Amino acid sequence: MNKKPHADHIYIEALLKNDSRVLSKLYEKFSHKIVAYVRKNNGNADDAQDIIQETLVTIYNQAKEKKFILTCPFDAYFYLLCKRRWLNELKKRGNNRVTILEDEASIKDEHEQQVEETEIFEQQSQLFESKFKELGVKCQELLKATFKIKSMEEVAEFLGVTYGYARKKKSQCMGKLTQLVKNSNEFQQLKGY
C-alpha cells in the first residue's frame, strides 16, 4: 500500500540532498527538545548532539537504501527515535535510572510503526556490518568492489582476476556472509519482528 508522504518529508529529502539551509532549520526546530530530554535523563549537551547526529545518519541511510517515505510528522518520529537511542545508550552504560516518564499514549501507532521500521533497519545494518568484518580480507575486497561497481567484468578487471573467478568467489563470499548472518543470535531476534 502506497502511503502519501507527510509534508515534513522535506526534512528527509534535505538529508538526502545535504541541503544545509533546511538541515539548519531542522536542527533549530527539533534539537532543543532532544537536548532537554537527554539532560534531564543523566546526559549532557554533547551526549544529546551525538544522539541527534547518529539518528540523522540512520534516517539518511534508511532513506537512501530503502527509499524511506515519512508519513507522519518529523517531530514525533525524530523525538521517539532519539529518545529510544538515548535509553539504549543508558542501558549500555549500566545507568537505567531515567527521571522523566513520558506520556507515550500521545504517540500514534503510525509514528511508532515508522520508528520501529527505522530501528529494525539500523539493527539489520549493524548486523550486516559486524558479520561483513568477520569475512576474510579477499572476500571483503571483492564484495566492496561489487557494491561499488555493478559490472562483474569491471570488478574482475579492477581486482586483476578472471571474470569466472570473480563470479565464483562472489557467490562463495555471499554464501559465507549469509551463513554468518543467519547463524547469529541477532538474526534470530530480528526474525521475530
Side-chain angles (χ1 to χ4, degrees), residues 97-113:
R97 210 179 81 227
V98 176
T99 55
I100 294 181
L101 294 171
E102 297 278 334
D103 178 18
E104 300 244 350
S106 65
I107 298 165
K108 293 183 180 166
D109 286 344
E110 188 177 342
H111 302 70
E112 188 76 32
Q113 182 182 349

Side-chain angles (χ1 to χ4, degrees), residues 115-127:
V115 167
E116 285 176 15
E117 287 171 9
T118 300
E119 288 177 332
I120 290 169
F121 170 80
E122 182 177 22
Q123 291 169 355
Q124 290 169 336
S125 297
Q126 288 172 348
L127 174 59

Side-chain angles (χ1 to χ4, degrees), residues 19-135:
D19 182 335
S20 57
R21 187 180 56 79
V22 178
L23 291 173
S24 293
K25 188 175 162 186
L26 182 147
Y27 264 95
E28 204 176 287
K29 198 170 179 181
F30 303 115
S31 67
H32 68 280
K33 192 173 177 181
I34 308 304
V35 172
Y37 178 80
V38 170
R39 278 187 166 161
K40 289 178 185 172
N41 287 284
N42 304 311
N44 58 42
D46 288 341
D47 292 329
Q49 290 306 320
D50 289 346
I51 293 296
I52 290 168
Q53 203 59 41
E54 291 167 10
T55 301
L56 288 174
V57 168
T58 297
I59 294 169
Y60 168 83
N61 287 334
Q62 185 181 22
K64 186 177 176 202
E65 294 175 29
K66 297 274 189 173
K67 310 292 185 238
F68 174 70
I69 304 292
L70 184 70
T71 58
C72 64
F74 186 82
D75 184 30
Y77 170 72
F78 185 62
Y79 179 74
L80 191 54
L81 271 177
C82 288
K83 180 181 167 186
R84 286 185 171 182
R85 185 179 294 271
W86 179 242
L87 292 174
N88 286 337
E89 180 61 29
L90 288 176
K91 279 184 199 168
K92 282 185 202 167
R93 293 180 183 182
N95 189 350
N96 292 323
R97 210 179 81 227
V98 176
T99 55
I100 294 181
L101 294 171
E102 297 278 334
D103 178 18
E104 300 244 350
S106 65
I107 298 165
K108 293 183 180 166
D109 286 344
E110 188 177 342
H111 302 70
E112 188 76 32
Q113 182 182 349
Q114 286 217 297
V115 167
E116 285 176 15
E117 287 171 9
T118 300
E119 288 177 332
I120 290 169
F121 170 80
E122 182 177 22
Q123 291 169 355
Q124 290 169 336
S125 297
Q126 288 172 348
L127 174 59
F128 174 83
E129 283 179 35
S130 74
K131 297 305 170 190
F132 185 84
K133 289 175 183 170
E134 291 180 24
L135 292 173

